Structure formats: C-alpha cells, structure tokens
C-alpha cells in the first residue's frame, strides 16, 4: 500500500443521493417479531424486509386506513 494517495482527480459518487438514511422509528413489538420471523424464513435481514415492504407501499401508492383515527363531528 502507498503511504499517501492522491484524490485530486477523484469524482463524487453518483449514487450518493440514493444511499439510505439512518432514522429512528418506534414499532410495536408484534411488528418487529413478525418481520424477524419472516427474516428467519427468507434469510433476509428484518430491517431490509421492512424497507422492502415500505418501498412496495410507496410504489403502489398505498395509504393506511385511518378511519378509526378520525374524530366524529
């Protein structure tokens, strides 16, 4: 290995905008358990499964049923 490298001609990563963002999210224990069990079956990390599920919701423009949360007038 070289002691020093010249990055003067380096280019920015074109995929940097597509990198994932770390976030904190509060999930119910049964939701985590569901995805962890699914992860055991599929051998895909449970956080990846949650992300894939949410991405699928975005692609299909799915919206949650919030009728239970609406206040009656």
């Amino acid at each position: 290995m070289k002691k020093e490298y010249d990055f003067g001609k380096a280019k920015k990563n074109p995929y940097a905008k597509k990198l994932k963002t770390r976030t904190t999210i509060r999930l119910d224990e049964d939701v985590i358990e569901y995805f962890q069990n699914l992860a055991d079956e599929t051998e895909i990390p449970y956080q990846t499964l949650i992300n894939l599920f949410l991405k699928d919701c975005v692609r299909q423009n799915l919206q949650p049923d919030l009728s239970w949360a609406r206040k009656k007038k």
Side-chain angles (χ1 to χ4, degrees):
M1 282 185 99
K2 295 181 182 180
K3 287 186 178 184
E4 292 186 27
Y5 290 89
D6 179 17
F7 293 103
K9 296 180 183 178
K11 295 180 182 178
K12 288 187 176 183
N13 182 348
Y15 302 103
K17 291 183 180 179
K18 296 182 180 184
L19 296 176
K20 295 181 180 182
T21 301
R22 181 182 302 251
T23 187
T24 301
I25 183 171
R26 294 179 185 271
L27 300 172
D28 292 335
E29 189 64 36
D30 60 335
V31 172
I32 295 171
E33 188 176 307
Y34 173 82
F35 280 99
Q36 286 176 334
N37 289 336
L38 191 57
D40 290 341
E41 294 173 19
T42 61
E43 297 183 359
I44 298 172
Y46 80 97
Q47 291 174 329
T48 301
L49 290 172
I50 292 170
N51 190 57
L52 289 170
F53 180 78
L54 292 174
K55 283 176 74 169
D56 193 38
C57 290
V58 170
R59 279 191 211 106
Q60 295 182 45
N61 196 30
L62 297 179
Q63 297 182 7
D65 178 11
L66 300 176
S67 59
W68 58 270
R70 294 188 185 126
K71 294 181 180 180
K72 294 182 182 180
K73 291 184 180 182

